Amino acid sequence: MTSDAPELTEISTRLDTVAAATTRLLDAVGALRDADLVDPSLLPGWTRGHVLAHLSRNADSLVNLLLWARTGIETPQYASDFLREADIEAGAPRPLREQLEDLTAASERWLALARVMPADRWQTTVRNRKGGEMPATRVVWMRLLEVEIHHVDLDVGYTPAEWSADFVGGLLPQSVAEVKPAEGSGFTVVATDTGYSGTVGTSSTTITGTAADLAAWLIGRSPGTGLSGELPDLSAWK
């Protein structure tokens, strides 16, 4: 932990952004019917019910990381990958009312804990489920990623084009950094609307499009519609 705590006003603004995104998500879920939850989501192998169950349990997993930061007692994000998957499978078949109540409560638990985090604990080092170390401030971004991307995955009319410029501005460079190309291959992406450019691997081609379209393609949420250039196959992010 370092002594350079972020300003509480900055953290509060970030949390307001997550709260607004969550409200949009919950409003969309509330407009669904029980029958809609068994329909496929945009994620291969997952129904809408799977996506909602995952969103709820992810909020609880990020509560664990905030508790770790607040108390200094190591609390893994998930007990295990097996239990993470089992909880999603168990929660997916539930009716809409149960899903919505669970998602609302889990989201509120996470947000409430985040809003009372002491400023000097935000730089505490925690680890995500893959073992990557990060300051607790990153947990706020992690939740925003889950809410915004999985809102798209529900396939209820919310698209990457509706992501804010600030969100896309964070997502695109992260996506470029995390893509793993085949050995000896790669590409450069250039955003025609923001001027951002980034290279994956050893660039052999250039792909252009809007920042939102590029980000959506890089995380497997788009086949690359609207992009120009030779597009390699990329896997979806969950």
Side-chain angles (χ1 to χ4, degrees), residues 1-147:
M1 185 179 68
T2 72
S3 59
D4 298 324
E7 293 291 336
L8 282 177
T9 52
E10 180 183 356
I11 293 294
S12 179
T13 298
R14 296 178 195 173
L15 292 174
D16 288 344
T17 299
V18 177
T22 302
T23 296
R24 289 192 297 272
L25 170 68
L26 292 173
D27 286 346
V29 174
L32 297 175
R33 302 166 302 167
D34 285 338
D36 296 325
L37 300 193
V38 299
D39 287 339
S41 72
L42 296 183
L43 280 175
W46 273 18
T47 65
R48 289 193 180 105
H50 284 89
V51 174
L52 294 179
H54 168 60
L55 278 164
S56 297
R57 299 292 70 78
N58 171 264
D60 287 339
S61 80
L62 298 182
V63 164
N64 289 340
L65 294 187
L66 291 184
L67 288 172
W68 180 348
R70 186 182 180 100
T71 66
I73 300 172
E74 181 174 346
T75 310
Q77 184 178 355
Y78 292 97
S80 70
D81 284 343
F82 172 80
L83 289 176
R84 173 182 179 269
E85 297 300 326
D87 283 343
I88 293 170
E89 290 297 330
R94 295 174 300 173
L96 177 63
R97 180 176 176 178
E98 289 184 27
Q99 293 271 25
L100 184 57
E101 289 178 350
D102 186 18
L103 180 56
T104 300
S107 299
E108 290 177 349
R109 281 194 297 272
W110 179 86
L111 186 61
L113 184 59
R115 289 204 185 278
V116 297
M117 176 78 77
D120 65 347
R121 304 306 298 174
W122 278 112
Q123 288 298 330
T124 303
T125 298
V126 298
R127 289 191 300 274
N128 62 28
R129 72 182 182 92
K130 296 182 180 180
E133 293 188 344
M134 60 187 181
T137 51
R138 189 73 177 174
V139 176
V140 181
W141 173 247
M142 289 172 66
R143 185 56 183 170
L144 185 60
L145 284 172
E146 296 287 333
V147 171

